[in-house]
Amino acid sequence: MTKTPLLLVPGLLCSPRLFAGQLAGLSAEADIVVPDWRKAPLSVWDTWDSAARWVLAQMPAQRFALAGLSLGGMLAVEIMQIAADRVDRLALLDTGMRSQNEGERAIRRARIRLANEGHFELVLGLQMSRFIPAYRLPDKALVDEVMAMCGEIGVEIYKRQEELAAIRVDRRPDLPKIKCPTIVVCGRDDAATPLFLSEEMAAAIKGSELIVVEQCGHLVTMEKPEETNTILRKWLSA
């Protein structure tokens, strides 16, 4: 059986651990590539275009399936601006396409300031409340895995990612241009990119399917790996 090339793009503070469940569960059906931000020069975070082109360069020349979570989903849509002809199908996981308002940019700048002042652990603690629903915080294995993942990315990459996220453009006007088969997936209890952002993306992309994962927050691939694999397996085979 010919495997589908599959590019899985991690989000902010996310190492390849974000997709460990998918690497384990989907490798029989797909040749999976997960970019590792630690291997990219910091300069790739200068612009959205440079970050998207670095991610795109991880793939061979043929067409591929593309999925991204959170900032990874934003990068996936940036890839659609420059190489839509190479993308066979698209999955947008726990993400949003709006630009940042001044209040949101101020919050990001405050987190960067804390990191610059040596309080990266505090920043990670603040992010946990956005990444993981309160009812999952007693799940020590999950929390430890997420913290380990964020720690792997480290403070310098994190700051550059936050700076880039703060200046992103509104990509909602570009969503109707997406013509490939698309699914939009969101945890019902996602606090970082709430469900209404997924609803508006699905409404804008003709023929797309919105899939809501119950009892799940922002990191659907880690919180519900088996359910995520079922969703992606169906998407890959459709």
Side-chain angles (χ1 to χ4, degrees), residues 112-174:
I112 293 169
R113 188 163 57 250
L114 281 172
N116 280 330
E117 292 171 354
H119 302 300
F120 188 48
E121 289 299 320
L122 175 58
V123 172
L124 295 186
L126 292 170
Q127 293 287 16
M128 286 307 102
S129 66
R130 302 174 67 246
F131 284 0
I132 304 176
Y135 56 78
R136 291 299 302 273
L137 291 177
D139 185 340
K140 186 175 185 300
L142 173 64
V143 173
D144 287 351
E145 187 70 6
V146 174
M147 286 293 286
M149 175 179 72
C150 296
E152 285 175 345
I153 293 303
V155 65
E156 293 305 320
I157 296 173
Y158 164 71
K159 290 190 297 183
R160 297 300 293 269
Q161 290 177 327
E162 280 279 34
E163 289 166 357
L164 187 63
I167 61 168
R168 69 176 184 261
V169 300
D170 190 336
R171 281 295 180 201
R172 286 177 294 173
D174 297 300

Side-chain angles (χ1 to χ4, degrees), residues 59-128:
M59 295 303 289
Q62 70 262 42
R63 286 164 64 84
F64 57 89
L66 173 60
L69 187 147
S70 196
L71 180 132
M74 298 168 199
L75 284 169
V77 172
E78 291 300 314
I79 288 171
M80 296 300 294
Q81 309 309 305
I82 58 178
D85 59 319
R86 292 183 57 191
V87 179
D88 180 65
R89 60 198 61 223
L90 178 66
L92 301 173
L93 314 177
D94 291 295
T95 190
M97 294 300 135
R98 296 186 177 196
S99 59
Q100 299 279 272
N101 61 40
E102 187 51 44
E104 290 165 331
R105 286 192 290 270
I107 290 170
R108 289 189 185 277
R109 286 195 291 265
R111 290 198 292 254
I112 293 169
R113 188 163 57 250
L114 281 172
N116 280 330
E117 292 171 354
H119 302 300
F120 188 48
E121 289 299 320
L122 175 58
V123 172
L124 295 186
L126 292 170
Q127 293 287 16
M128 286 307 102

